[in-house]
Amino acid sequence: MTFPRRLRLQQVQERASVSPLELFFDLVFVFALTRVTDLMADDPSGTNLLRGVLVMAVLWWCWVGYSWLWNLVRADEGVARVVMFAAMGAVFIVALTIPEAFDDLPGGLSGPVVFALGYFVVRLLHLLMFFVISREDPQLRSQVVRFVPSMVAGTVCLLIASQLTGAAQTAMWFLALAGDYLGTLIGGAGWRLRSVSHFAERHGLIVIIALGESITSIGIGVAALPISWAIIVATLLGLAVSALMWWTYFDVTSLAVEHAFESATGTRMIKIAQHCYTYAHMPMVAGIVLMSLGLKKVLSYVADGNHHRLTDPLYGWPLVALLGGAALFLLALVYFKAYPTGSITYPRVVTAAVLVALIPVLWHTPALATLAVLTAVLAAMIGYETWRFADPRDQIRHRADAS
């Protein structure tokens, strides 16, 4: 296939940075993550939390496929730009239908069907672009062909799920995700990457976007209410939690992994990209979204004096989401670093275990105090790591300066 000059694709350079169009694409996911949090917050039951995680997994697969695609050709040049805008439209429709992804609302089109069809369009555009890119690369074309069954299985299962309800529907969602995630994992490592720095930066930015959703969750619930000392304290504690989680990712861990990523070649490089970025970042983002739900509930408890008192505890699934989400994020970070470097960050494993153990302990503790405990635990972990690993931290952070 030959495109006119203005529509031709341009390869990504080795030291490329993320393009403004890719950042524009991410704005759709800001909205989508907000919708996931709202889905869980409206009725924070175990079923709704599970549904939120399932939707998050589908959204992640929409996003991550394009991170591979735009690492080969520039997203803002030629026909790629048109495909990007079309994919944005499909993802936005998917995000709009998140409240109806499982249960159709009265009137209008079938929400579950529209959700599944929107997902299909996102995946189809991604697949067609890969076929175009691989036209002169037999190995990549073979890899893309092996990828097709997992794409078909995932979208077909979602379409079937749109016609079901209850446990059968949930089971079909799991099958859809298994088809996508496992099918891609066992489909081989014949993919291509042209810029390690671009790929790492792309995933770092999506972590920032997820953390931005946690900050939004803090502010939206209290923005229209009279300011009070309780709101100020709760807001600052919530912001501190988001900042501490930013620190755990960006201070050293992301740099250490990127250094190992840059040193890898061939299949090893592709496997690092798959395990550390494509797969490990999904539970990171899901953990942040779950934590955002907990933060949103804490702020509503603190600010809504008509329905809650400051002594009311955060309990049930919102508490599980707050502490469990933070623990999930930390464990995903441990794997993220351990796979390419072989180094397990044990303080984070211990901290994750402490957070899970605190769930029954804090069940009857005032919501504001629970948030303070989470902040203190994360701050203690960061403080210990900064002191205990001061020398290796300095070497990793200033490696470029030393060279």
Side-chain angles (χ1 to χ4, degrees):
M1 181 182 299
T2 303
F3 293 105
R5 181 168 183 157
R6 292 181 180 178
L7 296 180
R8 287 177 189 168
L9 302 172
Q10 291 190 19
Q11 288 190 359
V12 169
Q13 300 303 309
E14 184 178 349
R15 303 304 300 180
S17 297
V18 173
S19 69
L21 184 54
E22 290 171 278
L23 297 176
F24 187 45
F25 181 68
D26 288 348
L27 293 179
V28 178
F29 285 88
V30 174
F31 174 67
L33 293 180
T34 302
R35 299 288 279 178
V36 173
T37 304
D38 291 342
L39 172 68
M40 296 186 293
D42 288 343
D43 177 20
S45 62
T47 298
N48 259 10
L49 258 65
L50 175 60
R51 288 179 171 183
V53 171
L54 291 174
V55 171
M56 183 67 245
V58 169
L59 291 172
W60 176 255
W61 217 239
C62 290
W63 181 89
V64 80
Y66 286 86
S67 70
W68 286 82
L69 186 61
W70 306 136
N71 195 265
L72 298 179
V73 295
R74 290 186 56 173
D76 57 351
E77 294 289 346
V79 71
R81 180 183 294 190
V82 179
V83 172
M84 180 68 112
F85 285 130
M88 284 179 65
V91 173
F92 198 74
I93 297 301
V94 168
L96 286 174
T97 57
I98 284 174
E100 299 182 77
F102 291 88
D103 298 321
D104 186 36
L105 297 178
L109 302 174
S110 170
V113 172
V114 173
F115 183 94
L117 290 177
Y119 179 62
F120 173 75
V121 171
V122 175
R123 299 297 306 281
L124 181 62
L125 290 170
H126 170 253
L127 188 65
L128 290 176
M129 274 300 298
F130 257 119
F131 269 108
V132 172
I133 292 170
S134 64
R135 63 189 183 278
E136 296 178 358
D137 186 340
Q139 180 180 335
L140 180 59
R141 175 60 62 89
S142 176
Q143 179 64 65
V144 173
V145 170
R146 290 197 298 272
F147 175 71
V148 171
S150 67
M151 178 266 192
V152 172
T155 52
V156 168
C157 286
L158 269 187
L159 283 169
I160 294 173
S162 69
Q163 305 303 307
L164 302 173
T165 59
Q169 182 188 53
T170 302
M172 196 57 63
W173 269 72
F174 273 107
L175 287 176
L177 293 170
D180 274 332
Y181 282 68
L182 296 180
T184 300
L185 185 63
I186 65 179
W191 299 100
R192 296 278 191 264
L193 284 177
R194 291 207 172 99
S195 175
V196 166
S197 60
H198 176 276
F199 200 75
E201 182 186 5
R202 196 79 188 87
H203 288 77
L205 289 172
I206 203 67
V207 171
I208 290 179
I209 284 172
L211 289 172
E213 159 57 15
S214 71
I215 294 173
T216 301
S217 296
I218 295 169
I220 283 180
V222 298
L225 298 174
I227 196 68
S228 66
W229 282 111
I231 291 177
I232 291 174
V233 172
T235 299
L236 292 177
L237 286 174
L239 185 60
V241 167
S242 296
L244 289 165
M245 296 183 81
W246 176 93
W247 187 304
T248 62
Y249 183 93
F250 288 99
D251 182 57
V252 170
T253 303
S254 64
L255 296 175
V257 174
E258 187 173 350
H259 293 166
F261 195 14
E262 289 174 339
S263 301
T265 58
T267 301
R268 175 63 177 169
M269 181 179 69
I270 298 301
K271 286 187 174 295
I272 290 175
Q274 287 181 326
H275 287 263
C276 297
Y277 293 94
T278 297
Y279 288 97
H281 274 66
M282 192 273 153
M284 283 186 216
V285 174
I288 295 172
V289 172
L290 287 169
M291 188 195 70
S292 299
L293 167 64
L295 290 174
K296 188 172 186 176
K297 288 299 181 182
V298 170
L299 267 295
S300 68
Y301 276 37
V302 169
D304 187 2
N306 294 325
H307 300 90
H308 297 284
R309 296 174 298 174
L310 285 178
T311 55
D312 285 350
L314 183 73
Y315 61 92
W317 288 109
L319 176 61
V320 173
L322 180 66
L323 300 182
L328 178 61
F329 177 80
L330 292 176
L331 292 176
L333 267 178
V334 171
Y335 178 78
F336 172 58
K337 182 182 177 184
Y339 184 85
T341 67
S343 174
I344 298 175
T345 313
Y346 288 104
R348 298 185 179 186
V349 177
V350 172
T351 302
V354 168
L355 290 175
V356 173
L358 282 173
I359 292 174
V361 175
L362 298 176
W363 201 269
H364 300 291
T365 303
L368 187 57
T370 295
L371 181 55
V373 170
L374 173 60
T375 307
V377 170
L378 292 176
M381 180 194 74
I382 292 296
Y384 174 78
E385 289 182 350
T386 303
W387 167 76
R388 178 67 177 80
F389 305 110
D391 289 339
R393 174 180 179 270
D394 185 67
Q395 292 172 9
I396 292 171
R397 286 186 56 80
H398 303 104
R399 189 181 78 159
D401 296 341
S403 61

